[in-house]
Amino acid sequence: MTVLKNIRTLSLPELKEYFERIGDKKFRAIQTYEWIWKQNARSFDEMTNLGKDLRQKLAENFSFPAIVNDTTQISSDGTLKSRFKTHDGHFMEGVLIPTENRNTACVSSQIGCSLTCSFCATGKMERKRNLDFDEIYDQVAILNEQSEKTYNKKLSNIVFMGMGEPLLNYTNVLMAIEKITDPKGLAMSPKRITVSTAGVAKMIKKLGDDKVRFNLALSLHAATDKKRDSIMPINESNSIDSLVEALNYFYEQTKNDITLEYILLKDVNDSLEDAEDLVKIYRKIPTHLVNVIEYNPIDGASFIKPDEDTTQQFTDYLAK
């Protein structure tokens, strides 16, 4: 069976070349490109200003493997969590987080994850495959549509903090961001995009070498190698010192914002000694923010969140 080429892998010049080859006009390429990236069509049938015969011809020559929204749940605070389904039957999740000042999309980069962080639900799943750049883009487009429909405003921010490790799907993540920020696409500012990593030092440096324009967040979650090794196996090959070096290199090359993320786990990383160790790392990195995160318990893990007093003491210490 012939495998059809995904039309979304074609550049605008390649689309123009195709339409010329079939004896059609070049402007059809622009119309098709805008349907794909600006109007977020997810099938050829939606391209209503193309004739029916032309849409049929496109369907015969190309595939259009868009993801679909399988189900959406809404919480009491207005957060929408959606399960998306890929053309080959896999699932991943994306979340729309509304606040007074911004609407943020949290998107996935992989189906499952290979990093096995002990506090993370996705870490207990097998990594099935990387998401393609257009599947990542689809998540953002669908969440933007939800934001407009439910809250009457577009997305203001995007965070790559869903399923998977973005820097282990480097090429697709950067290609997706390129389309998301393209004036011919969603035209979002790269300064409103944050990629979160569990810490792959060599790929953080590559982000610097590639002079990316988006922000970076490190999921630190423990401030000594011993503790981090115990909850995040990736630390065994990416020590805190190597990550500090990589983050400084990233900042030197890009001057983009860096955030440290820290989930508080009761009797694991929530003492004032842990807070002091975290301050020591903070002082070594040109970061503007430590994001202290409340832990949501998951099945199969024994972690729980600290009580309110412990959390307050920890954050007060950081603030001081």
Side-chain angles (χ1 to χ4, degrees):
M1 188 179 74
T2 303
V3 177
L4 299 179
K5 187 178 183 69
N6 178 356
I7 195 168
R8 294 194 288 184
T9 63
L10 298 184
S11 64
L12 181 55
E14 288 171 329
L15 272 175
K16 287 179 178 178
E17 183 183 321
Y18 166 76
F19 280 103
E20 277 189 303
R21 195 166 66 247
I22 66 171
D24 213 319
K25 297 177 177 65
K26 277 187 180 181
F27 75 86
R28 294 297 186 198
I30 297 171
Q31 289 178 315
T32 304
Y33 194 85
E34 287 185 346
W35 273 113
I36 293 170
W37 300 116
K38 200 156 198 156
Q39 300 183 63
N40 304 311
R42 286 185 278 278
S43 74
F44 295 113
D45 286 339
E46 293 179 31
M47 301 179 182
T48 50
N49 61 351
L50 304 182
K52 188 174 181 181
D53 289 347
L54 180 53
R55 281 179 273 158
Q56 181 65 35
K57 195 175 191 71
L58 288 172
E60 289 169 358
N61 284 274
F62 298 102
S63 66
F64 204 140
I67 69 169
V68 295
N69 186 4
D70 186 63
T71 183
T72 295
Q73 298 173 317
I74 185 165
S75 71
S76 57
D77 66 359
T79 298
L80 277 73
K81 182 169 76 169
S82 296
R83 184 174 72 177
F84 303 122
K85 187 175 182 179
T86 65
H87 69 98
D88 54 350
H90 294 298
F91 295 98
M92 94 290 293
E93 290 185 345
V95 182
L96 172 63
I97 307 162
T99 63
E100 188 175 341
N101 300 319
R102 64 181 66 180
N103 277 14
T104 300
C106 176
V107 298
S108 297
S109 56
Q110 297 178 310
I111 298 165
C113 186
S114 60
L115 296 187
T116 66
C117 298
S118 58
F119 52 83
C120 177
T122 309
K124 298 186 179 300
M125 299 168 59
E126 179 187 356
R127 187 189 73 82
K128 299 292 186 181
R129 66 170 175 85
N130 287 334
L131 286 169
D132 292 329
F133 77 96
D134 49 321
E135 293 173 320
I136 296 170
Y137 184 94
D138 279 345
Q139 293 175 75
V140 176
I142 293 171
L143 292 170
N144 187 53
E145 289 167 5
Q146 288 183 347
S147 183
E148 290 182 306
K149 183 177 179 181
T150 308
Y151 297 106
N152 204 30
K153 59 182 179 180
K154 293 180 179 291
L155 291 175
S156 55
N157 296 76
I158 301 169
V159 292
F160 282 75
M161 297 181 185
M163 296 168 63
E165 167 53 55
L167 298 191
L168 296 182
N169 188 15
Y170 190 93
T171 300
N172 282 307
V173 167
L174 263 62
M175 285 177 66
I177 291 173
E178 184 180 322
K179 293 296 185 186
I180 291 163
T181 57
D182 188 340
K184 294 185 178 71
L186 290 176
M188 288 195 66
S189 167
K191 293 298 182 186
R192 293 185 172 274
I193 298 174
T194 299
V195 171
S196 176
T197 176
V200 189
K202 69 178 183 180
M203 301 311 288
I204 292 172
K205 288 183 175 180
K206 182 165 172 54
L207 290 174
D209 289 334
D210 288 339
K211 301 290 194 293
V212 300
R213 296 180 296 152
F214 51 80
N215 303 314
L216 189 64
L218 173 67
S219 295
L220 185 65
H221 307 321
T224 66
D225 281 325
K226 183 177 180 181
K227 286 195 175 184
R228 202 164 186 266
D229 285 349
S230 70
I231 60 173
M232 300 180 71
I234 191 174
N235 195 71
E236 294 170 13
S237 54
N238 292 269
S239 68
I240 291 174
D241 283 347
S242 72
L243 294 174
V244 167
E245 179 192 355
L247 290 172
N248 276 284
Y249 182 82
F250 170 83
Y251 186 79
E252 288 166 11
Q253 300 300 314
T254 67
K255 298 296 186 285
N256 295 336
D257 286 345
I258 297 170
T259 300
L260 294 179
E261 296 170 321
Y262 196 95
I263 294 175
L264 280 179
L265 304 170
K266 179 176 171 59
D267 298 331
V268 176
N269 64 357
D270 62 343
S271 70
L272 293 186
E273 183 181 354
D274 292 310
E276 174 57 26
D277 288 335
L278 178 53
V279 169
K280 289 175 183 174
I281 295 173
Y282 170 82
R283 287 176 175 154
K284 295 177 183 177
I285 298 170
T287 177
H288 72 299
L289 178 68
V290 176
N291 185 18
V292 179
I293 302 167
E294 182 177 301
Y295 181 64
N296 291 315
I298 62 169
D299 292 338
S302 57
F303 301 107
I304 57 173
K305 65 182 181 181
D307 59 49
E308 287 185 18
D309 287 345
T310 301
T311 299
Q312 193 65 50
Q313 288 173 16
F314 189 95
T315 53
D316 285 350
Y317 188 95
L318 292 186
K320 182 179 68 177

